Each structure stands twice: as C-alpha cells, then as structure tokens.
C-alpha cells in the first residue's frame, strides 16, 4: 500500500507524544526530527521538508491552548493540519464552463496513465455528476493510443472523436468541440500526445492546442511511483503550460509518497484526482484531509 513506510514511522512518533500531559520544547524538537527523517525517507522534496518541519515546530511550541485536547493531542493536531495544508488544504473542484462544453485537456508523459485517466475521468463525470462527456483522440503519433481510447469509449459507451493519425491535433481538438456542441455533449476530454521525456516539440504542440481551444482545465497526469521525477515533470509542464491541476496515478502501488506530498508545494497546483488502480472506476477525488488521516492513522 502507498505511504506504508511513512505511515508506520509517523504513527510511531505520534504514539510517543500522544499521551503526554505536558509537552516540552525538547519533546517537540525530538518529534520534528523524526518527522523530518520520515519525510525525507519517503522521498519528499528536501526544501518542502525543511519548510514543513519549521512550521510545525513554530506552531507546536507557540501553540494556542485548547482545553478539550491534551498537549500531546494538540501537537498531533498541528501535524495533521500542516500535512493537510501541504497536500492542498481544501479539496478542489472541477471547472464547469459558462457555456458547454467544458473542455479538459489531459497532458503528461507516456506511460503516466493519461489515456486510462481520460476514460476514468469521463466515467466519474457521468456517474457522479450526471455529465455527458466526449473523448478526443489527439495523440496522432501512436495509432495504439487512438485504439486504446476507442476501446475505452466502447467499454464506457461514450463517443470518441478521432480523425486518425494524419490530422493536426489542433484541428482535431477544434472539430471535436464543434461536434460536441452539435451533439450536446457537455464535457470534452482531450487525450494529447505524450513522450518518454519532456521535450520542446511536445510542449510546442500542447501550447498550440491550449492557445486554440482555451481549455477550462489542463490536467497533468503524473505517476506517483516515480517520486521526485514526478515532481520535476510537474514543474516543467507547469512552467510551460500553466496547468490547472494534477492527477496522481498509481497511488494503489507501493509509492513512498514523495510526489503526493511535494507537488502542491513545489508547483502550487492542486492534486485534483488520484488513480487507485487500473480499472475505469478507480479514480477518486483527492482529499488532502483524508490522505493526511490515512498517513497519520
Ligand atoms: P499513457 O501513455 O500516459 O496514456 O498511459 P496509459 O493510460 O496507457 O497507462 C499506462 C499503464 O498504467 C497502463 O497499464 C495502465 O493500466 C496503468 N495505470 C494507469 N493508471 C493507473 C493507476 O492508477 N493504478 C495502476 N495500478 N495502474 C495504472
């Protein structure tokens, strides 16, 4: 399970401080030292760890006294609040265009789970919000990617717009949106091309699509299993495209948690959804508070 090592370590630390009727500055120092090590071991970005630990230390030492909680519990509350804040605070919602269709552009490296997530997101929008999405195959470099999306469309019984591999992705996106308007589809989810690494051609193409269709959301799909690489990828996509949110996939794997805990702090973009498996119903809204509770027990 994801975060197992981190959860084990933090829960041990917390148990030690929980019952304390009096928490000294020394106790707080020891606790934050353990928290720091646990986060670093979970592959959380170094600077993120440093700022995080500084904040909990300041708050835990100068904490407001709440009569309903023991001092130990108050320190834990500080850690829980800060961990929630680190992962984005409030759960963030998905955009809705004033005039349909709402256009969502999916971007990310090859293998991150972009095409699968396109299908999962469409499924979620229909099931949870009663929406009527259309999928768009704009990865013209890999016929397999188009086939994959068409297969997902069949499974979901949803329309997939494709012009094969000869058309230009910008034209595909524009025509798809026109078609969605005619057919009263209220969401258009564009599956764009990915590469193995971030490169200029890819960014140029994505920027052109963005400039033309002016999407309501740009979701960057990153693989949680790749740890700090996921954070670096998120940083460079965000610099060039100004994404609106992140989807973290493969959180069902045994990721140490570094990506989940660093992305918001490094990019200032919220994690909106988490992929929890390969199946089409295994995408969840990302709840920072619930995730913090899962980690802290
Ligand atoms: P793309 O190249 O970015 O479009 O990636 P794909 O959508 O083809 O996904 C790559 C692989 O990751 C596939 O085998 C997916 O089934 C798998 N995958 C995607 N999301 C998840 C997830 O949340 N959990 C797990 N375990 N596998 C996933």
């Amino acid at each position: 399970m994801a975060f197992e090592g981190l959860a084990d370590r933090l829960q041990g630390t917390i148990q030690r401080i929980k019952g304390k009727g009096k928490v000294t500055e020394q106790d707080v120092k020891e606790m934050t030292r353990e928290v720091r090590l646990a986060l670093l071991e979970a592959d959380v970005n170094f600077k993120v760890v440093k700022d995080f630990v500084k904040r909990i230390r300041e708050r835990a030492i100068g904490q407001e006294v709440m009569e309903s909680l023991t001092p130990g519990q108050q320190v834990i509350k500080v850690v829980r609040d800060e961990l929630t804040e680190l992962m984005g605070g409030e759960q963030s919602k998905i955009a809705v265009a004033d005039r349909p269709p709402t256009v969502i552009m999916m971007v990310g490296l090859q293998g991150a789970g972009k095409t699968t997530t396109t299908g999962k997101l469409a499924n979620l929008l229909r099931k949870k919000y009663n929406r009527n999405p259309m999928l768009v195959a704009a990865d013209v470099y890999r016929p397999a990617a188009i086939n994959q999306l068409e297969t997902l469309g069949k499974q979901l019984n949803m329309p997939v717009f494709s012009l094969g591999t000869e058309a230009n992705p910008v034209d595909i996106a524009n025509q798809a949106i026109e078609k969605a308007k005619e057919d009263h589809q209220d969401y258009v989810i564009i599956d764009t091309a990915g590469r193995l690494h971030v490169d200029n051609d890819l960014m140029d193409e994505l920027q052109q699509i963005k400039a033309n269709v002016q999407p309501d959301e740009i979701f960057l799909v990153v693989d949680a299993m790749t740890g700090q690489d996921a954070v670096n990828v998120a940083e460079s996509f965000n610099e060039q495209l100004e994404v609106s949110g992140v989807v973290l996939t493969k959180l069902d794997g045994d990721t140490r948690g570094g990506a989940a805990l660093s992305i918001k702090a490094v990019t200032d973009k919220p994690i909106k959804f988490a992929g929890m498996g390969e199946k089409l119903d295994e995408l969840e809204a990302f709840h920072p508070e619930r995730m913090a509770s899962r980690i802290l027990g």
Side-chain angles (χ1 to χ4, degrees), residues 109-116 120 148 250 252 275-278:
L109 293 184
Q110 200 171 308
K114 186 161 30 64
T115 305
T116 313
K120 285 176 173 177
Q148 191 186 344
K250 311 185 196 182
D252 51 310
M276 305 299 295
E278 296 190 82

